[in-house]
Amino acid sequence: MSTPAPRATHASAAPQASQPPHASPAPQAAQPSHASLASQQPPPVAESVPESKAALALRRVTGAALGPYQSAVVRIGFSATWLLFLLRELPHRRELYGPDGPWSWDMAQRLVSGNHAFTALLWTDSTVWFEIVYAVAVVSSVLMMLGWRTRTMSVLFMVGVLSLQNRSVFMGDGGDNVIHLMAIYLVLTRCAQVWSLDARRLRRAAARRAETGEGAVDRVGPVLWAVLGAALAVITLRGDAGWGWLLIFWGLWTAQGLWWAANRYAQGEPRALLDVVANLAHNATMVVIMAEVCLIYATAGWYKIQGSRWQDGTALYYPLHLDYFSPWPALSDVLGGSGLIVLLLTYGTVAVQVAFPFTLFNRRVKNVLLVAMMMEHAGIALLLGLPFFSLAMIAADAVFLPTGFLRWLGGRVARLRERLPARAPRPRRTDEEPRPRTLVA
């Protein structure tokens, strides 16, 4: 009778006990070779290569739209400035840009045929068409300021600005030229990421998707796209606009359709590619806007230096004594009557404008001069009666405002908006009204 094999006390003892005495040693008991040891070792971890500065900058430029708060302030500032101008000139709109103006329709036709500028007001001399274009300009300014369907409204905002300003080119000033340029730049920016109805709609859609797992269906966007596409087709068939502008408008219309299709049907690489292109366009345009502001101040300052009145410190004396630029004659007389104040204001204006582009390398000095320039434009609006020029320049200066200050300002406004209903006065109770009873548990 064979004796039972002893029970293994270790996991590796079981196979060894079952082997006969003359059997060769178990394979696992053999001395492992260097090759087997190498195969059993985990693969070496690749050393992380530090990212170069160029790659880091490229990833930052393509990965996000920089300056969301600054672009939002620029959007709100310029749309509000243009809206206020249109509302102020509402009683005189036909004399300024319409069929009753001194710059006749035939003269404007001859000018536009030479410089190829865009204006929808020269497609027909109908008064009804002029009123439609003016109404579109007002409505698009309001919706652009609120940030509702900003991609579409930015195009309509640009159409309204170019149509009115290119219809009567002698009705503007420096502020109109800045609005003219910024209306084109804003089309290429993602200026509704914060402080807009679009941003609120996206937040609500994300919250709904997180709760229910279903996203909101966009019906307004396709309707706007279809209506504007039909209008653009009619304009193309009629030959009202030049081929250059038609290519621009059709390109923008096609980009809108691709963006909607990517959001709806392709959330992977196509959407990521469109985001990269949009971020590149936005960031490049923001750099152009900053360069434009620096160029405006640099050219204005250096041209002033060449003038003899600016050199002797008496340049501001003359506009303060012109009736056309004196909305507050008493205040202008007080400032213009002091030679020291005129001298300081004259030299201070030149110094700030010349020095500002060089202060961008020092944040603290830049912020100080930025406040000085905004106060300067506020003084121009008050003393010289140029409010829209000043508002346009202040809106352009806002591109250099610090992000921390803008976020703090947005938080203060949000808290103030939340407190307004709580601070509303409550109606007093009369003796006839029943007083509430306190329930004791």
Side-chain angles (χ1 to χ4, degrees):
M1 179 177 235
S2 60
T3 61
R7 184 173 297 176
T9 60
H10 194 270
S12 63
Q16 293 177 2
S18 61
Q19 293 177 356
H22 61 275
S24 59
Q28 58 268 25
Q31 188 70 21
S33 62
H34 294 285
S36 61
L37 286 175
S39 62
Q40 293 176 7
Q41 292 180 357
V45 179
E47 297 182 358
S48 59
V49 179
E51 194 174 12
S52 63
K53 293 183 178 180
L56 181 62
L58 180 62
R59 183 165 58 86
R60 185 180 181 186
V61 169
T62 59
L66 304 178
Y69 293 93
Q70 288 81 357
S71 60
V73 172
V74 171
R75 182 200 85 231
I76 295 171
F78 279 102
S79 57
T81 301
W82 182 242
L83 174 64
L84 293 175
F85 175 79
L86 294 178
L87 294 179
R88 190 193 72 170
E89 303 299 343
L90 189 63
H92 313 288
R93 61 189 183 279
R94 295 186 181 180
E95 289 79 9
L96 289 176
Y97 303 108
D100 300 337
W103 190 251
S104 65
W105 192 78
D106 294 333
M107 297 172 66
Q109 276 278 17
R110 278 183 280 176
L111 179 63
V112 170
S113 63
N115 59 15
H116 304 287
F118 174 82
T119 173
L121 292 178
L122 294 182
W123 296 349
T124 176
D125 57 352
S126 171
T127 304
V128 176
W129 176 245
F130 167 77
E131 297 294 345
I132 292 174
V133 173
Y134 202 93
V136 169
V138 173
V139 173
S140 63
S141 300
V142 174
L143 298 179
M144 180 76 172
M145 181 176 59
L146 298 176
W148 184 82
R149 304 290 172 175
T150 312
R151 291 193 184 96
T152 303
M153 291 304 118
S154 63
V155 178
L156 295 179
F157 178 76
M158 179 188 69
V159 169
V161 171
L162 298 183
S163 297
L164 293 173
Q165 291 187 359
N166 291 334
R167 169 62 177 83
S168 299
V169 294
F170 297 107
M171 295 298 175
D173 54 13
D176 290 340
N177 294 332
V178 177
I179 295 175
H180 191 104
L181 294 173
M182 295 302 171
I184 300 175
Y185 296 153
L186 286 174
V187 175
L188 302 176
T189 62
R190 306 182 75 173
C191 54
Q193 291 184 322
V194 296
W195 299 343
S196 66
L197 297 178
D198 288 344
R200 187 181 70 173
R201 188 180 73 252
L202 291 178
R203 288 195 302 268
R204 290 181 175 179
R208 179 180 177 181
R209 189 180 299 109
E211 293 178 358
T212 63
E214 298 179 356
V217 180
D218 185 13
R219 296 183 177 87
V220 179
V223 171
L224 283 175
W225 185 75
V227 171
L228 293 178
L232 191 56
V234 173
I235 295 170
T236 304
L237 294 175
R238 285 172 49 90
D240 293 326
W243 284 106
W245 287 103
L246 287 177
L247 289 177
I248 292 174
F249 291 136
W250 278 114
L252 295 174
W253 184 80
T254 304
Q256 295 279 17
L258 290 176
W259 189 273
W260 179 85
N263 288 332
R264 183 68 182 273
Y265 301 107
Q267 287 289 336
E269 293 183 359
R271 170 60 193 274
L273 177 61
L274 291 179
D275 277 332
V276 168
V277 174
N279 292 334
L280 282 173
H282 169 90
N283 296 330
T285 306
M286 292 297 291
V287 173
V288 171
I289 292 175
M290 291 187 286
E292 188 76 35
V293 176
C294 292
L295 183 63
I296 290 174
Y297 285 118
T299 53
W302 287 105
Y303 271 111
K304 287 182 175 66
I305 289 178
Q306 302 175 22
S308 59
R309 302 301 181 189
W310 291 95
Q311 293 175 4
D312 58 23
T314 61
L316 292 183
Y317 172 83
Y318 301 99
L320 289 175
H321 288 80
L322 293 176
D323 295 337
Y324 183 77
F325 293 107
S326 298
W328 310 97
L331 182 59
S332 299
D333 292 340
V334 171
L335 296 178
S338 175
L340 179 60
I341 294 179
V342 172
L343 180 68
L344 293 177
L345 290 177
T346 302
Y347 284 161
T349 300
V350 177
V352 168
Q353 291 181 353
V354 173
F356 178 74
F358 301 99
T359 62
L360 298 181
F361 302 99
N362 190 303
R363 181 177 301 178
R364 294 182 179 179
V365 179
K366 181 263 295 182
N367 292 337
V368 172
L369 287 189
L370 188 61
V371 174
M373 286 193 304
M374 289 184 173
M375 294 180 64
E376 173 191 339
H377 291 302
I380 292 175
L382 180 64
L383 296 176
L384 302 183
L386 298 173
F388 300 109
F389 167 78
S390 300
L391 287 176
M393 291 308 303
I394 291 174
D397 295 340
V399 74
F400 294 104
L401 288 174
T403 303
F405 169 75
L406 292 176
R407 296 182 66 178
W408 172 84
L409 183 62
R412 296 284 295 182
V413 173
R415 286 193 293 268
L416 179 62
R417 184 179 58 186
E418 293 174 357
R419 294 177 182 177
L420 284 178
R423 293 183 178 181
R426 296 181 179 179
R428 294 184 178 180
R429 295 183 180 275
T430 60
D431 295 336
E432 291 77 10
E433 291 179 339
R435 295 183 180 273
R437 296 179 179 179
T438 303
L439 300 179
V440 180

